[in-house]
Amino acid sequence: MTQSVTNESGNPYRDASSMGTTGAPARSAAYAMPAAEHTKTASRIGTRFIPWHHGRVPRFCALWASTVLIVLAWALATGGPAHNRSLPSPGEVWQALVALHSEGLLLPSIGISLYRVSLGVALGVVTAVPAGIIAGSSTIGHAIMDKPIHMLRAVPFPALSPLLIVLLGIGETMKVALIAIGAFALIYVNVRDGVRGIDPKLLELAQAYHLPKRTVFAKILLRGTLPRFMTGLRFALTVSWIALVTCETVNSSAGIGYILSRSQQFYRTDQMVLCIVLYAFLGLFSEWLVGALERLVVPCSH
C-alpha cells in the first residue's frame, strides 16, 4: 500500500520513495520535484523567450527593431523614380528637413510647438486635478461638474476653435486654451476615478482621528490618485499634440502645424511626411518624459 504524505501547505501527495515498481502514476514525480528544480526550469523558459534580460540581445536593439523594419519597408516601397510615386522616400524627407533648417524655420517651429503644448497641458493639470478630486469625493461636486465636462470632451477641436477665436481672439491665448481643454477632460476623468478607487476605510480613519483637511488632501487623496493621474497625463499629452494641429493652422507664422498647412498649399509631400515624423517623435519623447516622471513619483508601480 502506498503511503499518503501531506506537504507543508496541507495538500496530499504520494511519497516518491514508494513509486518506482508499484505502478504509481508518473505525474506524482512532478509533485515530488524540489522547488529549486522548478526555479531552474522557469529560469530556462525565461531565458529562451526574453533573452535581453540576460544580456544576449541588447535591449535598445530589441525596442527599435520594428521601427527600423518599417523605415526599411518605406525605403523599398519608394525606391523607384519620383514621378512614378506619390509618397516621398526617406531621403527626400531628410532633404526637406535640411532645407527647412537652412531656411531658419524648423527649430523655431519645434520650439514654439513644445511651448504651446507644455503651457496648455500645465493649465489643464492645474484646473483638472482639483475638479477631479471634488467630483470624486463629493456627490454634489460630481452632480455639478461631471455631465458638462463629459459633454465638453465630446466636442471636436475644429468645432471649438471658432468659438474660442470669438472669445479669445486669434493669438496665443486661443491656441493654449484649446490645448488646455483637451488635456483637462482626460486628466479630470482619471483623477475622479482615482479618488473613487481609494479605500473608504482610510478616509474613515482620517475622520476618526480628526486629521486636518489639508493633510487628508495631501496624504490620502493626492497620493491615492497618482497612478491614475499619470495615466491621464499620458493620454492628455497625446490629445494635446492632436489639438496643436488644429490651433496652429490659425494665424500662425511658426509651428509644426504651420509647416504642415503651408506644405499642403504648395503640395510638398516631403514636408507633409516630415511633419508627421516630427509629431511621432515628439509624442514618443512625451511618453518617455511621463514614464520617467512616473518612475520618480510612483516607484512602486515599476
Side-chain angles (χ1 to χ4, degrees):
M1 179 181 297
T2 56
Q3 180 182 0
S4 296
V5 184
T6 303
N7 60 8
E8 294 178 358
S9 61
N11 295 325
Y13 64 93
R14 297 189 180 277
D15 187 6
S17 62
S18 62
M19 293 174 191
T21 60
T22 60
R27 69 172 179 269
S28 299
Y31 294 111
M33 182 184 295
E37 294 296 328
H38 286 291
T39 304
K40 291 179 181 178
T41 303
S43 178
R44 287 194 294 269
I45 293 174
T47 302
R48 182 182 301 173
F49 291 101
I50 316 177
W52 55 81
H53 285 183
H54 300 270
R56 294 187 179 181
V57 178
R59 185 173 177 82
F60 179 84
C61 296
L63 291 175
W64 286 94
S66 58
T67 305
V68 172
L69 289 176
I70 292 173
V71 174
L72 289 176
W74 174 21
L76 291 174
T78 56
H83 62 274
N84 291 335
R85 52 182 168 79
S86 56
L87 185 68
S89 66
E92 292 170 349
V93 173
W94 176 258
Q95 291 175 3
L97 184 146
V98 173
L100 287 173
H101 179 67
S102 301
E103 188 181 344
L105 184 61
L106 182 64
L107 293 181
S109 294
I110 295 175
I112 193 64
S113 294
L114 282 171
Y115 167 77
R116 289 164 178 162
V117 168
S118 301
L119 192 58
V121 171
L123 184 60
V125 168
V126 168
T127 53
V129 170
I133 291 176
I134 293 171
S137 59
S138 168
T139 305
I140 298 176
H142 180 270
I144 293 174
M145 293 187 294
D146 201 61
K147 290 296 184 292
I149 292 176
H150 278 293
M151 289 188 288
L152 179 65
R153 189 171 61 135
V155 179
F157 294 121
L160 280 175
S161 56
L163 178 61
L164 291 178
I165 290 173
V166 172
L167 294 175
L168 304 174
I170 58 176
E172 290 296 317
T173 305
M174 182 276 296
K175 299 175 177 61
V176 173
L178 187 63
I179 296 171
I181 290 172
F184 170 85
L186 289 168
I187 295 174
Y188 162 82
V189 170
N190 281 274
V191 171
R192 181 204 63 188
D193 293 344
V195 172
R196 288 181 174 181
I198 294 176
D199 190 354
K201 293 180 181 179
L202 292 175
L203 298 176
E204 293 174 4
L205 188 63
Q207 186 176 7
Y209 281 93
H210 303 286
L211 293 180
K213 292 184 178 180
R214 181 181 303 176
T215 304
V216 175
F217 179 81
K219 301 295 185 180
I220 297 178
L221 294 180
L222 279 183
R223 289 190 178 183
T225 57
L226 268 178
R228 294 300 300 266
F229 167 76
M230 300 307 299
T231 301
L233 186 60
R234 274 191 168 91
F235 288 116
L237 280 168
T238 301
V239 171
S240 298
W241 289 112
I242 298 173
L244 183 71
V245 180
T246 301
C247 67
E248 284 189 336
T249 57
V250 179
N251 190 38
S252 294
S253 57
I256 302 175
Y258 165 73
I259 297 175
L260 181 62
S261 177
R262 193 185 72 165
S263 62
Q264 290 173 345
Q265 294 177 0
F266 296 100
Y267 199 68
R268 291 292 304 272
T269 56
D270 54 346
Q271 294 184 5
M272 294 180 199
V273 175
L274 173 62
C275 291
I276 295 172
V277 172
L278 289 176
Y279 279 125
F281 274 98
L282 288 172
L284 190 63
F285 171 74
S286 303
E287 173 68 20
W288 172 83
L289 195 62
V290 174
L293 181 62
E294 185 176 12
R295 286 190 293 271
L296 181 64
V297 299
V298 195
C300 59
S301 64
H302 297 274

